[in-house]
């Protein structure tokens, strides 16, 4: 295939934007894939949704809409495209399917899991509800559909405080992220307890719990790696650095950071607040995406920290998804009905 016409134009645009991040031979290969994806996307009338953790070539050139989990959820609820290609992990693509049961939702790889989503099962949630009857269940969007189906309301990192406050109750079951629970509990004046898992010590159902989050020991395998020592080391070298942490980081890390927010909240912060350096405590690809869009920003990040699940989504597999209409996301109809209630309640909160 000759390297002219649309390939050359696309390559030039990509070179200008991300030439300092991606080697030239790789950009040439990627430019060809981008042109093919964008052509086929039009033919199929498909919409590509890209999470903020997608690699820069995919994020900046083929995704029609980008954002954090909440923004992508809202976009998925608004679209009238017949085919949605979800460039993100499985729980996100499942959420898009729950919101759009009649449309085709594709995910480019079947290996894009999530350590938080796989930390809890629907049976676990049923057991929590049995032990704490009447206590509302708030489930982080990073969970699978059958878990959402057992839930009163979902939340994301972008609206967790608002969701908890909307309930107006003293106690909530907040699952499955231990650290997000601790961070949101701190902001809403509560503390976190964990249910006893030793069957010999399990007590009868309890109704006397006060101002607590009943939590779960799920963790993000990426954000749990950041430590307060990391922050101290970077501050030593760059005393004027602004530290931004995702709320899936430990409460010690978020307390030591200057700002805590969802992936999009971090992007907006860098956009609006001028600082000499920024340290992003989150998945590394997002730093690349910000650098590609803002050449004037000095983004520091600890780049040994990648999400092995998000990384599964490549341009090659996105093209194959459109060519072969694979991999279709399917969720059983009864689960869709119940899980959709929990997502719709969340979306109803501004
Ligand atoms: P956001 O909703 O903040 O994008 O987070 C999703 C996620 O998986 C972070 O690890
Ligand atoms: Fe899951 Fe963490 Fe990867 Fe986000 S970064 S998809 S929470 S494992």
């Amino acid at each position: 295939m000759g390297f002219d016409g649309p390939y050359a134009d696309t390559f030039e645009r990509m070179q200008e934007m991300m030439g300092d991040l991606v080697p030239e031979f790789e950009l040439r290969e990627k430019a060809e894939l981008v042109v093919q994806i964008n052509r086929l996307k039009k033919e199929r009338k498909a919409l590509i949704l890209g999470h903020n953790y997608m690699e820069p070539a995919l994020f900046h050139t083929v995704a029609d809409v980008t954002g954090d989990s909440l923004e992508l959820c809202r976009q998925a609820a608004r679209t009238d495209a017949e085919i949605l290609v979800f460039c993100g992990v499985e729980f996100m693509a499942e959420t898009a399917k729950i919101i759009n049961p009649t449309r085709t939702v594709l995910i480019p790889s079947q290996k894009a899991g999530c350590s938080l989503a796989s930390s809890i099962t629907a049976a676990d949630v049923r057991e929590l509800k049995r032990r704490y009857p009447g206590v509302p269940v708030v489930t982080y969007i990073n969970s699978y559909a059958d878990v959402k189906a057992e839930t009163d309301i979902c939340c994301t990192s972008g609206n967790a405080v608002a969701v908890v406050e909307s309930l107006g109750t003293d106690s909530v079951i907040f699952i499955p992220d231990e650290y997000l629970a601790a961070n949101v509990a701190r902001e809403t004046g509560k503390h976190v307890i964990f249910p006893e898992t030793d069957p010999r010590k399990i007590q009868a159902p309890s109704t006397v719990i006060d101002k607590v989050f009943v939590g779960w020991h799920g963790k993000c395998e990426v954000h749990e790696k950041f430590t307060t020592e990391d922050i101290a080391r970077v501050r030593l070298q760059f005393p004027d650095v602004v530290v931004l942490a995702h709320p899936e980081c430990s409460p010690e890390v978020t307390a030591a950071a200057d700002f805590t927010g969802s992936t999009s909240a971090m992007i907006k912060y860098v956009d609006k607040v001028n600082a000499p350096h920024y340290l992003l405590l989150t998945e590394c690809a997002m730093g690349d995406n910000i650098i590609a869009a803002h050449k004037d920003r000095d983004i520091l990040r600890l780049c040994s920290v990648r999400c092995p699940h998000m990384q599964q989504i490549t341009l090659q597999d996105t093209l194959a998804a459109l060519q072969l209409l694979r991999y279709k996301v399917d969720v059983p109809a009864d689960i869709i009905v119940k899980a959709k209630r929990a997502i719709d309640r969340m979306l109803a909160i501004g």
Side-chain angles (χ1 to χ4, degrees):
M1 199 176 303
F3 212 77
D4 48 22
Y7 295 103
D9 290 347
T10 304
F11 169 71
E12 264 168 44
R13 259 185 290 122
M14 289 169 75
Q15 174 84 325
E16 200 175 308
M17 199 174 205
M18 57 199 86
D20 45 353
L21 297 165
V22 189
E24 186 181 322
F25 76 92
E26 197 180 313
L27 270 189
R28 285 188 184 276
E29 205 176 286
K30 287 187 168 171
E32 294 191 12
L33 290 166
V34 166
V35 171
Q36 291 175 60
I37 291 170
N38 285 338
R39 196 178 285 154
L40 197 52
K41 181 175 76 176
K42 259 197 209 133
E43 276 169 38
R44 296 247 191 242
K45 299 189 173 52
L47 182 85
I48 299 186
L49 299 109
H51 184 261
N52 290 328
Y53 289 164
M54 292 298 102
E55 59 109 343
L58 198 156
F59 183 84
H60 283 297
T61 60
V62 300
D64 300 295
V65 289
T66 56
D68 62 15
S69 311
L70 181 61
E71 289 165 336
L72 293 176
C73 236
R74 291 197 187 284
Q75 293 287 348
R78 262 182 229 136
T79 184
D80 53 8
E82 271 317 305
I83 297 174
L84 293 144
V85 183
F86 210 110
C87 292
V89 290
E90 189 184 339
F91 74 80
M92 296 179 175
E94 258 188 10
T95 305
K97 180 68 184 177
I98 293 165
I99 295 172
N100 295 282
T102 59
R103 303 189 204 280
T104 300
V105 177
L106 306 173
I107 183 161
S109 165
Q110 289 180 308
K111 292 187 199 143
C114 170
S115 64
L116 275 173
S118 58
S119 71
I120 192 161
T121 66
D124 293 329
V125 188
R126 284 192 290 273
E127 175 57 19
L128 285 172
K129 291 197 287 189
R130 190 193 67 75
R131 277 202 241 167
Y132 301 98
V135 178
V137 182
V138 179
T139 299
Y140 191 29
I141 199 99
N142 294 38
S143 54
Y144 290 120
D146 55 344
V147 166
K148 289 187 175 82
E150 296 291 339
T151 296
D152 293 296
I153 186 163
C154 286
C155 74
T156 72
S157 61
N159 64 8
V161 171
V163 165
V164 167
E165 284 175 344
S166 78
L167 296 172
T169 55
D170 272 350
S171 45
V172 294
I173 298 170
F174 191 102
I175 49 175
D177 186 346
E178 172 178 341
Y179 289 160
L180 182 68
N183 286 317
V184 178
R186 188 169 58 201
E187 277 196 59
T188 53
K190 297 184 168 62
H191 66 276
V192 189
I193 59 161
F194 293 97
E196 183 56 67
T197 49
D198 181 344
R200 289 163 306 180
K201 294 189 194 151
I202 291 175
Q203 295 143 357
S206 158
T207 48
V208 279
I209 50 175
D210 183 34
K211 290 201 186 307
V212 295
F213 277 22
V214 177
W216 192 256
H217 288 300
K219 291 205 187 80
C220 163
E221 66 190 272
V222 174
H223 293 95
E224 72 171 337
K225 293 202 177 85
F226 297 115
T227 63
T228 50
E229 288 77 34
D230 291 331
I231 298 179
R233 259 196 311 274
V234 175
R235 285 202 198 278
L236 204 62
Q237 203 182 340
F238 302 95
D240 46 5
V241 68
V242 171
V243 180
L244 296 92
H246 193 275
E248 289 168 11
C249 294
S250 76
E252 294 76 27
V253 165
T254 56
D258 300 299
F259 175 82
T260 301
S262 76
T263 54
S264 285
M266 288 191 208
I267 293 172
K268 282 171 199 144
Y269 185 100
V270 175
D271 207 12
K272 292 209 176 95
V273 180
N274 223 328
H277 318 278
Y278 309 82
L279 173 66
L280 298 186
L281 298 180
T282 194
E283 216 278 348
C284 289
M286 204 174 91
D288 287 343
N289 291 335
I290 298 177
I291 291 168
H294 299 275
K295 297 286 178 223
D296 57 329
R297 296 294 200 251
D298 184 20
I299 308 292
L300 314 172
R301 59 236 199 267
L302 304 170
C303 261
S304 49
V305 186
R306 306 297 319 262
C307 173
H309 311 288
M310 290 282 183
Q311 278 184 289
Q312 296 294 328
I313 309 296
T314 62
L315 283 170
Q316 283 89 345
D317 286 340
T318 304
L319 178 60
L322 282 163
Q323 285 168 331
L324 308 171
L325 291 184
R326 77 176 191 195
Y327 296 97
K328 285 198 175 96
V329 178
D330 279 317
V331 180
D334 56 326
I335 298 284
I336 287 191
V337 172
K338 291 190 201 157
K340 193 168 183 307
R341 271 201 302 256
I343 296 168
D344 285 345
R345 277 188 199 127
M346 173 189 82
L347 290 175
I349 294 173

